[in-house]
Amino acid sequence: MHSKEYTLDVAGFPLTATFTDLADQAAGSVIISYRDTALLATAVMGKKDKDSDFFPLVVDFEERFYAAGKILGSQFIRREGRPSDEAILSGRVVDRTIRPLFDHRIRRDIQVVITMLALGDAEPDTLAVIGASLALTTSNIPWRGPVSGVHIGKIGEKFVINPSYADLSDAHFEMDLTACGKEAHITMIETASKEISNEIAGMALDMAMAEIEKIQAWQNEIIKSEGKEKTVLEFKKSPEGMEALFEEKIAGKFYDAIFAGPGKGPMHELIGEWLKEYEAKFPEENTHFALNYFEDKVNDLIHKEAIEKGKRPDGRALDEVRPLFAKAGGISKMLHGSGVFYRGGTHVFSALTLGAPGDAQKIESMETSGEKKFMHHYNFPGYSVGEMGRSGGINRRSIGHGALAEKSLIPVLPSKEIFPYTIRLVSESLASNGSTSMGSVCASSLAMMDGGVPISGHVAGIASGLMLESNDKYALLTDIQGPEDHHGDMDFKVAGTRKGITGIQMDIKLDGIPVKILKEALVKAEAARLHIISTMEKEIAAPRPDISPRAPKIISLKVKVDQIGLVIGTGGKTIKEMMAISGAQIDIEDDGTVYITGVGESAEIAKKLVTDLTKEFTPGEKAEGTVVKIVEFGAFVSIGGGTEGLVHVSEMAPFRVEKVSDYIKEGDKVPVVVKGVDDRGKISLSIKMANPDFFKKK
C-alpha cells in the first residue's frame, strides 16, 4: 500500500495527513487524524456538465458507529441509518466553508464525502474541513482553497485550542468557537457560548486566525508535493447582444424598482418584464443567462449604493432595525406557553411544551449517548415565502436553523434541580423576509417566559450583512432582508442576552472577511440585540410566576440509593403498578432522586405511594397495620409501603395470650407502636403499647 504522511504540531498534538491509494478512484482523498480522531475525506467531480441553472455541490458527512467502538441501531437492524443531527450539522460546517470558494458557474456534479474512521478526543468538524480542503486542493477539481479550521474554547479565564470532549463537559466551560478561514480572512463561524462579551469573542477570533494561518502554510506545502493539475472548465457564454437589450429595455427602470421601498412588487415585475424581452429576442437560449445577469446588476447596484451613499433598498439607515412586535401568550389556553415575534416581514410563532423528565429524548449516536431535556425544533413551510412546498419532513436547513436557536437559548435555562421539566420548543416560520432563525430565538424566549419557565433573561438575535468593495471600503448592514440577504456578502447571525453572546453563525459569499470587520459587526449586532430585548421586555419582563394549569405538575423527592430497587420492583412491576394506580409518571435517577409528573391530584397520589413504600420507621412511631400472617408465636403486621413487623405474642396484650388465633385473624386492622428496629432492619411491633385495652381477656 502506498502511503505518505505529513505532520504539524497543533496545540501540542500532531495533526497528520496521510495520502494512500486506499481510495485511489476518487479525484482526491486523504486520511486526516488528530488526537486519535481519524476521518477519510474524498472529492469527486462528474465528467459532464448538467443542464441546470445552479452549482451542483453535495457534501456528505458519514458517521460510522465502529469509529466509536459501538454497535448501535434497532434490535433487528444493526447498521447506520439516516444521518443524525450531529452528522448533518458537521456536514453543514464543511459545506458552508468550502462552497464560497468554488466558481458557481460550474455545472458538473461535485461531491465531497467525509467518512469517520475513528473517534478519539478531538471533535471532527474542523478536521473534516481540513480533510475536505486537502482532498479538493490535491485533486483535479477547480477550487480556490486551501482553507483551514480550528476550535477555540474558553474554560474560566483560559483559552484552549481544540478543546477535548472532557474540556467541553467542564462546568466552567464558557465558549466553543469554530472558525474557518484562509489568507488572514474568516470564511465561516459557528459559536456556542455562555453570555460572553464582544471583546472575548474578538480575542477568540484573533487566536483562531493565528492557528489557521499555521495550518494553511502546512497545507500549501502538502499541495506542492501532492497536488494534481486542475481541470480547465469551459463555461457557456451569454448570447451576444443581451447586455445591450438590458440597457435599452430595462436599465432606465432599474434603479427605481430596486429602491422602491418595502415590498416585492416593482422588482419582481421588472424581472418578469426582462424575461419577456429576453425570450422574445433569444427564443433558443436558456433563460438562466438573463436571470443571472439581472441578479448581477442588482448585486452591483445595492453594493454601490450602500457603500458610497449608505442607502438601502427599503430606505432604512444602515444600522436601523425594522419595526418589531412581540406577544407572549394569547394563542390558546391549551398551550403551555407561546410567543409571537415580528421583525419587519419576518413573522415567527413558537410553542412551548413541558413534559416529565422521562420525556427527554434518548440520544445514541457516534459521539454522544444520554438524554436531551431541552429541544428546539424549527419548521419552514413553503407558504412563508409565498410558495408551495412539500408538507412534513425536515431538511438540512431546518435542522441547522433549529440547532442554532437551541444552542443560543441553552445558557439561560434553569438547572434541573430548580426546574426538572423536559422542555420542547417548536418555532414555525409563518412569514420570511430575513433571518427566521433569529426570529425563532426571540419567539422562543417569549414562549418560555409565558410558560413560567424560570429563564435568567430574554435572548434575542439579529442578522447583520456586509457590502464589501475592499477591506477598507465597505458597509455593514443591520437586520438584512430581501435583496440584501440574497446579494450581500455576509450573513452574520448573533444571539444573546443583555449580558453577552450565546450563539454566533456566519456564512459568506466571498473568499473571506477580515477579523477587524467582524469585530465591528459584533458591536453593531449588540446594539440591535439590546433594542430588540427592550421591545420583548415591554411585553413580558420576567417569567410568569406559575406554569400553565394545562402543564403537568412535577414533585421531586429523594429515596436512599438502596431503596431504588424497592421502588422499581422486579422487572419494573412495583413502579408500573404505582403509575397505573395514580395516573402519574414516575422517574427515578441513579442518585435516588424521584420525579413524579402528573395532572390534577395524580402527582400527590403517586408521591404518597412512593413515600409509604420507602418510609423508614423509628422506635416509638405509631401506625395502623393490617395482619398479614398468623404464627404460633405472634402475628406479622403490614404497616404500609411493603413494610412488615412482628407483634410477638407477649406484645399483644397486658395479659398472657395462650392462643394467638383466639384474638386475631388475617386482615384485621390493629394499632401498633414500633418497639424496635434491629441492625438488619427487622421491625418489632407492639399492640399493647399502642392500646393496652384493644383486646379483652378471654
Side-chain angles (χ1 to χ4, degrees):
M1 182 178 80
H2 165 73
S3 177
K4 190 172 182 180
E5 286 189 355
Y6 300 84
T7 301
L8 173 72
D9 183 279
V10 178
F13 297 94
L15 172 65
T16 302
T18 305
F19 291 86
T20 76
D21 54 5
L22 275 170
D24 61 0
Q25 298 299 307
S29 69
V30 63
I31 295 174
I32 194 91
S33 59
Y34 183 73
R35 299 185 73 171
D36 296 323
T37 294
L39 53 83
L40 171 68
T42 62
V44 176
M45 181 170 67
K47 300 293 191 292
K48 296 180 180 180
D49 287 354
K50 295 179 70 174
D51 185 19
S52 64
D53 58 358
F54 64 91
F55 167 48
L57 170 68
V58 175
V59 177
D60 291 318
F61 188 97
E62 301 284 349
E63 288 182 321
R64 294 292 184 262
F65 297 145
Y66 60 71
K70 297 179 179 180
I71 300 176
L72 296 179
S74 72
Q75 183 178 354
F76 301 101
I77 302 175
R78 292 297 189 184
R79 67 176 299 154
E80 294 79 5
R82 66 173 294 275
S84 68
D85 286 2
E86 290 85 355
I88 289 171
L89 294 173
S90 295
R92 278 173 55 84
V93 166
V94 177
D95 190 308
R96 289 159 44 207
T97 302
I98 67 174
R99 186 177 291 271
L101 304 179
F102 283 98
D103 188 325
H104 282 228
R105 293 176 297 172
I106 294 174
R107 293 297 177 264
R108 292 193 187 185
D109 284 316
I110 295 176
Q111 184 179 34
V112 174
V113 179
I114 310 296
T115 305
M116 286 299 304
L117 302 180
L119 181 64
D121 208 18
E123 283 198 310
D125 293 9
T126 52
L127 282 187
V129 168
I130 298 167
S133 174
L134 283 171
L136 286 165
T137 50
T138 59
S139 75
N140 66 327
I141 301 171
W143 186 63
R144 297 190 302 275
V147 66
S148 301
V150 68
H151 280 284
I152 302 294
K154 184 172 183 289
I155 304 175
E157 297 301 314
K158 182 176 70 172
F159 286 96
V160 181
I161 298 168
N162 289 336
S164 66
Y165 283 103
D167 292 331
L168 295 172
S169 61
D170 191 296
H172 302 290
F173 194 81
E174 295 182 1
M175 177 192 69
D176 181 17
L177 178 143
T178 301
C180 300
K182 55 171 290 191
E183 299 168 359
H185 287 60
I186 297 292
T187 57
M188 196 284 306
I189 300 173
E190 192 75 47
T191 304
S193 56
K194 297 179 180 178
E195 299 177 292
I196 61 169
S197 66
N198 292 340
E199 290 73 24
I200 293 297
M203 290 170 64
L205 286 172
D206 285 333
M207 184 176 291
M209 198 71 257
E211 293 300 315
I212 286 169
E213 288 302 295
K214 285 167 49 179
I215 301 171
Q216 284 289 99
W218 175 68
Q219 287 199 61
N220 281 321
E221 289 301 312
I222 294 173
I223 295 163
K224 289 178 183 178
S225 299
E226 302 292 335
K228 300 173 185 174
E229 185 178 348
K230 296 296 182 183
T231 299
V232 177
L233 300 177
E234 294 184 1
F235 303 116
K236 293 181 180 179
K237 295 181 179 180
S238 58
E240 188 176 346
M242 181 183 71
E243 294 87 347
L245 179 67
F246 184 88
E247 289 299 316
E248 178 188 349
K249 301 292 185 179
I250 303 298
K253 311 170 187 177
F254 193 67
Y255 184 94
D256 290 341
I258 304 304
F259 289 88
K264 299 180 179 180
M267 179 176 170
H268 282 68
E269 289 174 5
L270 193 61
I271 292 174
E273 184 179 339
W274 165 234
L275 288 177
K276 186 177 179 180
E277 295 285 353
Y278 176 88
E279 290 169 351
K281 184 161 185 176
F282 307 106
E284 303 299 322
E285 296 287 350
N286 195 310
T287 57
H288 78 259
F289 290 118
L291 287 171
N292 289 342
Y293 186 74
F294 190 95
E295 295 293 319
D296 289 343
K297 298 296 284 187
V298 174
N299 182 76
D300 294 344
L301 181 60
I302 63 173
H303 272 72
K304 182 175 184 293
E305 292 297 307
I307 294 168
E308 296 182 0
K309 301 178 183 178
K311 188 171 183 178
R312 303 175 69 170
D314 62 0
R316 281 183 293 149
L318 295 182
D319 61 354
E320 184 179 348
V321 178
R322 288 172 290 168
L324 304 172
F325 172 78
K327 178 67 177 176
I331 298 297
S332 171
K333 64 181 181 181
M334 300 298 291
L335 299 176
H336 296 172
S338 65
V340 173
F341 180 77
Y342 285 22
R343 191 184 62 254
T346 294
H347 307 159
V348 180
F349 160 68
S350 291
L352 167 75
T353 306
L354 300 175
D359 291 330
Q361 182 182 1
K362 303 297 187 291
I363 302 292
E364 285 289 346
S365 70
M366 184 187 69
E367 291 187 62
T368 59
S369 61
E371 293 185 334
K372 187 176 180 182
K373 295 185 179 295
F374 175 68
M375 295 159 276
H376 175 271
H377 297 142
Y378 167 98
N379 295 315
F380 189 88
Y383 61 74
S384 67
V385 288
E387 297 175 357
M388 294 181 289
R390 183 173 64 88
S391 296
I394 52 175
N395 55 33
R396 293 186 174 195
R397 180 180 180 277
S398 293
I399 290 172
H401 279 31
L404 173 60
E406 182 176 289
K407 71 182 181 184
S408 299
L409 293 162
I410 285 174
V412 302
L413 295 176
S415 67
K416 182 177 67 175
E417 290 72 27
I418 294 173
F419 197 75
Y421 288 88
T422 294
I423 303 170
R424 182 182 184 233
L425 289 158
V426 179
S427 291
E428 308 283 359
S429 172
L430 303 181
S432 174
N433 188 8
S435 192
T436 50
S437 63
M438 294 295 93
S440 297
V441 171
C442 301
S444 294
S445 183
L446 292 163
M448 284 197 286
M449 283 206 176
D450 177 55
V453 179
I455 60 176
S456 59
H458 270 307
V459 185
I462 192 70
S464 300
L466 173 69
M467 301 295 172
L468 182 74
E469 183 177 311
S470 69
N471 289 347
D472 298 314
K473 193 172 183 180
Y474 58 88
L476 284 165
L477 281 62
T478 296
D479 184 20
I480 54 175
Q481 62 150 358
E484 298 168 341
D485 192 6
H486 184 66
H487 295 282
D489 300 319
M490 175 181 78
D491 185 1
F492 189 61
K493 301 182 178 78
V494 183
T497 65
R498 286 195 175 278
K499 293 181 181 179
I501 298 164
T502 59
I504 303 174
Q505 186 178 94
M506 186 195 78
D507 301 317
I508 62 171
K509 299 184 180 75
L510 306 171
D511 284 11
I513 296 172
V515 172
K516 72 179 185 74
I517 294 180
L518 297 177
K519 289 180 179 179
E520 186 181 340
L522 285 172
V523 174
K524 291 185 177 295
E526 180 180 33
R529 182 173 80 242
L530 296 179
H531 169 64
I532 294 169
I533 289 175
S534 293
T535 299
M536 295 164 67
E537 288 173 339
K538 288 176 184 177
E539 168 62 15
I540 182 168
R544 302 201 192 279
D546 300 304
I547 64 172
S548 164
R550 302 290 306 182
K553 178 181 180 182
I554 294 184
I555 298 172
S556 63
L557 53 95
K558 200 95 168 181
V559 301
K560 291 184 175 180
V561 173
D562 59 10
Q563 292 178 319
I564 293 174
L566 174 66
V567 175
I568 295 173
T570 304
K573 180 180 178 183
T574 304
I575 197 169
K576 289 176 183 176
E577 286 179 351
M578 290 191 291
M579 288 192 287
I581 292 168
S582 65
Q585 172 74 30
I586 303 174
D587 299 293
I588 187 165
E589 301 198 341
D590 292 341
D591 64 352
T593 302
V594 180
Y595 294 108
I596 301 170
T597 311
V599 178
E601 299 298 318
S602 62
E604 293 293 344
I605 295 170
K607 177 185 177 182
K608 186 175 188 309
L609 291 172
V610 174
T611 53
D612 286 351
L613 177 64
T614 57
K615 179 174 173 58
E616 294 187 331
F617 291 89
T618 57
E621 279 193 74
K622 292 183 177 181
E624 182 181 65
T626 302
V627 178
V628 294
K629 187 177 182 181
I630 303 295
V631 292
E632 186 178 340
F633 51 84
F636 286 95
V637 177
S638 172
I639 53 177
T643 301
E644 294 181 4
L646 172 66
V647 179
H648 191 266
V649 65
S650 63
E651 292 298 326
M652 290 181 63
F655 50 83
R656 183 179 177 82
V657 174
E658 297 292 341
K659 190 176 181 181
V660 175
S661 59
D662 288 343
Y663 290 87
I664 198 170
K665 64 181 184 297
E666 290 182 8
D668 284 353
K669 301 289 186 182
V670 294
V672 293
V673 168
V674 178
K675 185 180 180 184
V677 182
D678 67 15
D679 55 4
R680 292 178 297 174
K682 290 186 176 182
I683 297 174
S684 58
L685 304 171
S686 174
I687 294 175
K688 72 179 183 181
M689 290 176 64
N691 184 357
D693 299 322
F694 189 74
F695 295 118
K696 302 299 181 183
K697 189 173 183 179
K698 295 183 180 180

